[in-house]
Amino acid sequence: MEIGRGAEAAITLYEGTVKKYRMAKSYRQAELDQHIRQERTLREAKITSEARKHGVPTPIIRDISRFELEMEYVSGAKIKDVITPELSERVGEMVGRLHRGGIVHGDLTTSNMILQGDRIYLIDFGLSYYESSVEAQGVDVHVYFQTLHSTHDRAEELVEAFKAGYSRTAPAPEAVLKRVDEIKARGRYL
Amino acid sequence: MIVFGLEGTAWNLSAALVDEREVLYEKSATYTPAKGGIHPREASQHHAEHMARVVGDVIAYARENDLQMDAVAFSQGPGLGPCLRTVATAARALSLKLEVPLLGVNHCVAHIEVGKWRSGSTDPAVIYVSGANTQVLALRQGRYRIFGETLDISIGNAIDKFARTVGLSHPGGPKVEELAGKARRYIPLPYTVKGMDLSFSGLSTAATEAAKSHDLADVCYSLQETAFAMLVEVTERAMAHAEKKEAMLVGGVGANKRLGEMLDIMCRERGARFFLPERKYMGDNGSMIAHTGLIMFKSGIRTPLAKSCVRPGFRTDDVEVTWGPTNS
């Protein structure tokens, strides 16, 4: 049963196992297309498991092939649909732990977080990588803030709540949050 | 009603007259640097030098055809400071002379609005690509929100920079596109997508490096394929996230045929529609300012003289879209 089709993958569910297949994109050059799909599938498998060791709930990976992953099904609501300042604060704590573990997620949107019971699961590690620089962590947080501003009401409240949670667990919260402000001002027409 | 619009944020000084239905007249003067890229002061001097002729020509057309102008719209920002000041000064003078209201228009919003007007798109994810900007936007709760954008330089700037370094003259985009058509193979280059954001500076540098040891046509091809694939991927993601069924390409780099083709394929594969305005409304033009001025005017907006100062860093999401989400 297909349970979702994101921008890059088709997600099917069968007997409690999720299959995530990264589809070919005919708009892009064939070699580039295969390289992107293969690399992201590999990264996702590896770092999804790695993140759990640093106290970030993630689905258990069961199998991997060239463009496809099989993993545990995490049922629950997307944070996108249920976000509150309290939850954003817990997202902050979770991202802080991830960064402490030397991992940058690369796509921290509220669609990639699932609330199951009282645990927040982080999914979709296809754009993740190992890096501990302030810049990489800053871009990671910037992506999350941008999602809050583009998609949610009372974004400022959610941003502040995230900062509070992140500051408790992250390795360099002050430097990173300062860098986020700098990143926001870049790439602008001046 | 008829609105006079004046654009001049960077390379093109352009004045136009529009009414509700069509563009009545447009006159432009294009600044082409003798060598290298755009120099802000030189560009503003160019605009000052051609202002009287360009504006005068449009006014003469209005007089000959007995057209009454109801408002003067000008690009208030974002853009190069010296250019913006030249444009704002001319617009203020004209507004006082004609005794009609003044309207300060956001340049990026104008690209979007003229694109919707001319292409028939109603609620698109907008891909705005130019020498200065790279953004993916969509309307949500009364503002064009930025879903993704470049974290360093724009896509147009990345291509221009590369073109300049390998000896192609400004503007480099069309030359890179032409050479790409003669390529025989793809050379892997850095592909950098972070969430819905993009980075092009590393790509531009890597392409410049690659040009030292590879065929230039192959490098141009690989640069385009890589940069555009990044952009299309982010657009698709924004469409999924914002639940938009349309995409529209605007801005000068939008003239690139390969980019339009890739976006069209992506849209068709996900059951969405792709809109591409006519080429003359893609780059900077006076009509886009006049049209946006017109719909702003009709929704009751006026820019008092005291608030007509230029805004070089004017953000797209600073503008409240009071004229509603539908095509006007």
Side-chain angles (χ1 to χ4, degrees):
Chain A
M1 179 181 61
E2 181 163 315
I3 55 167
R5 184 172 284 257
E8 64 168 347
I11 319 283
T12 51
L13 176 62
Y14 181 71
E15 292 183 350
T17 294
V18 170
K19 284 191 179 185
K20 175 173 180 178
Y21 177 76
R22 283 192 160 75
M23 298 170 288
K25 297 286 175 186
S26 53
Y27 67 77
R28 61 190 173 209
Q29 206 273 343
E31 280 168 70
L32 175 62
D33 182 64
Q34 293 190 358
H35 171 77
I36 290 171
R37 292 158 65 211
Q38 185 167 4
E39 196 198 10
R40 288 184 185 170
T41 304
L42 263 169
R43 265 171 201 271
E44 180 164 14
K46 194 170 165 194
I47 304 189
T48 298
S49 305
E50 180 76 19
R52 207 173 315 114
K53 296 179 193 156
H54 299 285
V56 175
T58 61
I60 292 162
I61 303 292
R62 295 188 174 139
D63 202 2
I64 174 175
S65 55
R66 193 169 174 206
F67 303 128
E68 188 173 72
L69 283 180
E70 284 187 25
M71 64 188 120
E72 170 197 9
Y73 176 56
V74 179
S75 62
K78 279 185 184 170
I79 291 292
K80 182 186 179 185
D81 300 320
V82 295
I83 195 158
T84 59
E86 293 71 36
L87 285 171
S88 190
E89 184 169 345
R90 289 186 43 210
V91 168
E93 290 177 0
M94 175 179 73
V95 174
R97 285 195 296 274
L98 191 71
H99 287 177
R100 185 167 286 279
I103 296 170
V104 165
H105 182 270
D107 191 16
L108 284 176
T109 71
T110 47
S111 305
N112 287 337
M113 299 163 190
I114 297 170
L115 182 66
Q116 187 187 70
D118 60 354
R119 295 176 92 184
I120 300 173
Y121 280 77
L122 188 57
I123 60 168
D124 232 337
F125 282 79
L127 295 176
S128 65
Y129 52 101
Y130 294 106
E131 196 175 320
S132 301
S133 70
V134 167
E135 174 68 17
Q137 294 175 352
V139 171
D140 220 19
V141 172
H142 169 73
V143 169
Y144 178 72
F145 287 177
Q146 209 167 22
T147 312
L148 295 181
H149 283 288
S150 64
T151 328
H152 298 285
D153 305 327
R154 295 158 62 209
E156 275 314 315
E157 232 178 297
L158 300 174
V159 164
E160 288 310 312
F162 175 94
K163 286 180 178 172
Y166 185 75
S167 298
R168 280 199 289 276
T169 55
E174 278 160 34
V176 170
L177 294 173
K178 184 165 166 276
R179 183 65 63 91
V180 172
D181 291 333
E182 290 167 29
I183 292 165
K184 204 176 157 190
R186 271 185 222 158
R188 306 282 187 248
Y189 193 139
L190 283 174
Chain B
M1 69 175 291
I2 293 172
V3 175
F4 174 96
L6 187 60
E7 157 62 28
T9 52
W11 57 276
N12 200 23
L13 177 68
S14 177
L17 291 175
V18 305
D19 65 10
E20 284 89 342
R21 289 177 39 240
E22 60 189 335
V23 174
L24 303 170
Y25 192 73
E26 187 179 271
K27 181 79 184 174
S28 303
T30 304
Y31 159 73
T32 315
K35 67 180 182 79
I38 295 175
H39 189 296
R41 195 191 60 237
E42 281 177 15
S44 77
Q45 282 166 355
H46 164 272
H47 294 354
E49 206 175 296
H50 292 84
M51 190 66 76
R53 184 174 61 80
V54 168
V55 172
D57 194 64
V58 175
I59 301 295
Y61 178 87
R63 287 220 178 101
E64 280 160 27
N65 294 278
D66 218 13
L67 305 172
Q68 292 295 318
M69 287 169 269
D70 299 293
V72 170
F74 71 103
S75 48
Q76 194 170 12
L80 304 169
C83 297
L84 292 173
R85 283 191 288 278
T86 306
V87 166
T89 305
R92 285 184 205 113
L94 189 61
S95 148
L96 289 170
K97 174 83 175 92
L98 297 173
E99 296 179 333
V100 295
L102 190 63
L103 289 152
V105 173
N106 179 294
H107 176 88
C108 308
V109 170
H111 270 295
I112 300 172
E113 292 301 341
V114 82
K116 286 164 72 177
W117 187 43
R118 303 316 299 176
S119 74
S121 177
T122 52
D123 188 19
V126 181
I127 306 96
Y128 172 32
V129 284
S130 69
N133 286 283
T134 305
Q135 296 181 330
V136 176
L137 315 108
L139 192 65
R140 195 189 70 87
Q141 293 191 330
R143 280 169 206 261
Y144 288 109
R145 313 276 170 177
I146 298 163
F147 280 78
E149 64 186 323
T150 179
L151 293 166
D152 41 57
I153 58 174
S154 77
I155 187 165
N157 193 352
I159 295 173
D160 278 347
K161 239 186 194 165
F162 162 78
R164 219 161 39 234
T165 319
V166 299
L168 303 169
S169 59
H170 183 88
K175 287 157 195 120
V176 169
E177 182 176 10
E178 196 193 321
L179 276 167
K182 295 172 186 158
R184 283 167 316 212
R185 64 185 200 95
Y186 176 77
I187 303 157
L189 293 171
Y191 182 101
T192 318
V193 168
K194 299 187 176 180
M196 287 196 232
D197 290 328
L198 306 152
S199 160
F200 293 106
S201 70
L203 173 60
S204 182
T205 309
T208 305
E209 270 309 302
K212 290 175 185 164
S213 54
H214 291 88
D215 179 59
L216 186 58
D218 290 347
V219 180
C220 289
Y221 169 72
S222 308
L223 172 60
Q224 281 202 159
E225 287 299 316
T226 309
F228 295 165
M230 287 161 56
L231 199 55
V232 178
E233 181 184 0
V234 166
T235 304
E236 183 167 20
R237 196 169 292 185
M239 288 173 82
H241 197 77
E243 291 164 9
K244 299 287 178 186
K245 290 277 173 208
E246 297 178 358
M248 179 178 77
L249 179 60
V250 301
V253 181
N256 187 297
K257 292 210 173 54
R258 176 61 180 145
L259 177 56
E261 179 189 64
M262 288 167 76
L263 284 164
D264 191 40
I265 296 170
M266 180 273 284
C267 283
R268 271 191 277 124
E269 279 184 0
R270 58 180 292 113
R273 284 187 70 191
F274 175 59
F275 292 85
L276 188 69
E278 281 167 78
R279 194 173 169 149
K280 62 178 165 180
Y281 298 115
M282 297 265 251
D284 297 353
N285 62 83
S287 303
M288 69 187 207
I289 304 298
H291 168 69
T292 309
L294 187 146
I295 55 180
M296 286 168 70
F297 185 92
K298 287 195 139 189
S299 79
I301 299 170
R302 306 288 182 272
T303 304
L305 217 49
K307 290 196 171 167
S308 68
C309 54
V310 302
R311 300 177 65 176
F314 201 173
R315 294 275 297 171
T316 316
D317 50 10
D318 276 351
V319 179
E320 212 180 319
V321 180
T322 49
W323 48 92
T326 53
N327 212 326
S328 45

